[in-house]
Amino acid sequence: FNMQLTSVREINVLLENVRLLPEDERRTAIKTASEWLQEQKILHHILCRHLHQKQYVDQVQRAMYILLEAGCLSDEYLELIWSQTQKPDTFEAVKHNIFDLLADLAWQFSSDQLDRLFRRFETSMARSNSDTLNILDLAKKLAHS
């Protein structure tokens, strides 16, 4: 766990350093970094592990925020993280952390990404009572922000 947490922190350092570049260089650099993270399947890896650990999820959120802000986080990764909440054997702590993550990142979502998120809410309402309550809580957090 510690190695993967450190790895996510290093990804954040890389992305933060890219944000410090002049704007004309920043766009190319963030796109290159994003493509490399996707090609190496690093994003896939970090979005499927240790999501029960709040400190890990906080670091993942920082990376996702920077990528979303730059328009470089594909819907594939948002779908991947949402799918973690839909597995019947997913722990409640994981679901709670993911819903908090989505609520915090929603400000950076495109209108299409928000539409997809709300459609996911609608299709997930037929799940268990605790899942439904978690989704309603997420919708409430989005409405208050």
Side-chain angles (χ1 to χ4, degrees):
F1 166 75
N2 286 334
M3 279 185 11
Q4 289 186 347
L5 179 60
T6 301
S7 298
V8 176
R9 286 181 176 148
E10 287 300 317
I11 291 168
N12 287 334
V13 168
L14 167 81
L15 294 173
E16 289 289 343
N17 287 336
V18 168
R19 287 173 85 186
L20 298 175
L21 294 172
E23 189 169 338
D24 56 327
E25 294 176 35
R26 184 180 329 138
R27 287 186 197 146
T28 304
I30 194 80
K31 186 173 187 228
T32 302
S34 172
E35 288 170 356
W36 182 82
L37 289 169
Q38 290 177 24
E39 287 168 8
Q40 301 301 313
K41 304 210 183 294
I42 293 170
L43 290 176
H44 186 275
H45 184 76
I46 67 172
L47 292 175
C48 293
R49 308 243 179 340
H50 304 296
L51 297 175
H52 62 287
Q53 297 281 347
K54 182 67 173 145
Q55 63 182 337
Y56 181 83
V57 174
D58 290 344
Q59 294 300 313
V60 169
Q61 178 183 336
R62 279 183 61 202
M64 290 180 73
Y65 180 86
I66 294 168
L67 294 171
L68 275 167
E69 184 179 57
C72 292
L73 189 69
S74 73
D75 294 340
E76 169 190 354
Y77 296 104
L78 296 174
E79 181 61 37
L80 176 65
I81 198 142
W82 179 262
S83 72
Q84 299 296 316
T85 69
Q86 302 302 294
K87 296 177 182 176
D89 59 343
T90 300
F91 292 109
E92 286 302 314
V94 171
K95 291 178 185 180
H96 180 76
N97 287 341
I98 290 173
F99 290 143
D100 283 348
L101 170 80
L102 291 170
D104 292 339
L105 292 175
W107 283 98
Q108 295 300 319
F109 286 0
S110 69
S111 58
D112 288 342
Q113 289 169 328
L114 280 172
D115 287 345
R116 279 190 215 85
L117 179 64
F118 286 117
R119 278 195 299 261
R120 288 180 188 111
F121 288 178
E122 292 169 357
T123 59
S124 297
M125 294 307 264
R127 300 194 44 93
S128 72
N129 284 343
S130 65
D131 285 353
T132 301
L133 290 175
N134 283 333
I135 291 167
L136 289 173
D137 189 46
L138 173 56
K140 179 180 166 185
K141 288 177 185 176
L142 291 174
H144 284 298
S145 51

